[in-house]
Amino acid sequence: DAKTTQPTSMDCAEGRAANLPCNHSTISGNEYVYWYRQIHSQGPQYIIHGLKNNETNEMASLIITEDRKSSTLILPHATLRDTAVYYCIVKPGAGSYQLTFGKGTKLSVIP
Amino acid sequence: NAGVTQTPKFQVLKTGQSMTLQCAQDMNHEYMSWYRQDPGMGLRLIHYSVGAGITDQGEVPNGYNVSRSTTEDFPLRLLSAAPSQTSVYFCASSTQGLSKNEQFFGPGTRLTVL
């Protein structure tokens, strides 16, 4: 699976958009970008995933660059409950289930 | 649905003791897996199963055994606990369909080996 690079930590003001970047320059054509988050001491939670088109769901938006070498997770209106470690994971799609977690980005939402 | 449940939530063992961490899911998911998370680190895959009777090793399988006799249950056994196995253990499950492969994680078991 392709390797990902994320900043160690980020701060965001409550109510503002949180933009979390991820570099995955070695991504291959059949690999998806997945985002999970882990709120303190809990099990990770799926957020969103995409292949090459931008995606949006009730939790977040995912913007993937045209060359697919990087992506950005957007939380449109961050709340204190969004404080967590966010993991960007690249893996093949259907048929592959193993998630390779890096250290992620620690997002702190500030009141 | 209860989702993915894990027991116990906390456990303290002495070196050399054995124990089984329990994991169950009620979503009829074919895929189940075990991860461990050490302080300040991401999760690492220990073992996984793509269905009843089928298991395979992940990144860090040494010191752990698994079996999958039913779709619902996927226990993780520590045969002879070592201090290096002090960690938080997460179980996860997922459907095998052509959907998003969203994995559902349990709340974790916090294990300390003295």
Side-chain angles (χ1 to χ4, degrees):
Chain A
D1 296 347
K3 180 178 172 61
T4 62
T5 303
Q6 299 178 251
T8 301
S9 63
M10 295 181 63
D11 291 339
C12 177
E14 188 178 18
R16 304 295 295 269
N19 296 278
L20 291 86
C22 179
N23 287 324
H24 32 78
S25 59
T26 60
I27 192 170
S28 60
N30 69 336
E31 290 182 314
Y32 289 69
V33 179
Y34 283 76
W35 284 84
Y36 280 74
R37 74 179 182 183
Q38 186 175 24
I39 297 171
H40 180 64
S41 299
Q42 298 179 19
Q45 175 191 24
Y46 166 87
I47 302 174
I48 198 167
H49 80 294
L51 182 62
K52 53 185 177 181
N53 298 321
N54 298 337
E55 302 288 345
T56 296
N57 63 19
E58 65 279 3
M59 291 181 65
S61 294
L62 174 61
I63 309 298
I64 303 174
T65 58
E66 191 169 347
D67 63 7
R68 303 210 319 124
K69 292 184 178 182
S70 65
S71 60
T72 300
L73 177 74
I74 301 172
L75 308 178
H77 305 286
T79 71
L80 299 179
R81 287 176 294 180
D82 292 322
T83 292
V85 177
Y86 288 77
Y87 297 99
C88 171
I89 298 168
V90 171
K91 76 170 190 70
S96 172
Y97 307 96
Q98 300 181 45
L99 297 174
T100 300
F101 289 82
K103 294 186 179 182
T105 297
K106 168 66 173 176
L107 174 69
S108 298
V109 180
I110 311 300
Chain B
N1 285 350
V4 179
T5 59
Q6 294 183 237
T7 56
K9 291 185 178 180
F10 301 93
Q11 183 70 49
V12 178
L13 292 178
K14 294 181 179 179
T15 298
Q17 287 184 316
S18 63
M19 79 158 297
T20 299
L21 280 64
Q22 301 292 343
C23 175
Q25 52 91 10
D26 61 358
M27 297 172 282
N28 202 32
H29 285 168
E30 300 90 346
Y31 179 80
M32 296 186 73
S33 57
W34 277 101
Y35 292 84
R36 61 176 286 175
Q37 185 174 32
D38 299 326
M41 304 293 290
L43 282 72
R44 291 183 294 169
L45 183 65
I46 305 172
H47 284 286
Y48 65 96
S49 169
V50 298
I54 306 169
T55 63
D56 207 345
Q57 296 180 351
E59 178 186 356
V60 288
N62 292 340
Y64 307 95
N65 278 357
V66 293
S67 60
R68 183 94 178 271
S69 56
T70 67
T71 299
E72 295 78 19
D73 301 298
F74 190 44
L76 178 72
R77 282 183 289 276
L78 283 70
L79 299 178
S80 178
S84 60
Q85 294 178 304
T86 294
S87 190
V88 181
Y89 292 84
F90 291 101
C91 179
S93 74
S94 172
T95 180
Q96 274 193 346
L98 295 178
S99 62
K100 58 188 178 182
N101 293 160
E102 173 184 356
Q103 292 199 28
F104 296 83
F105 285 82
T109 294
R110 283 144 187 82
L111 175 68
T112 301
V113 182
L114 302 176

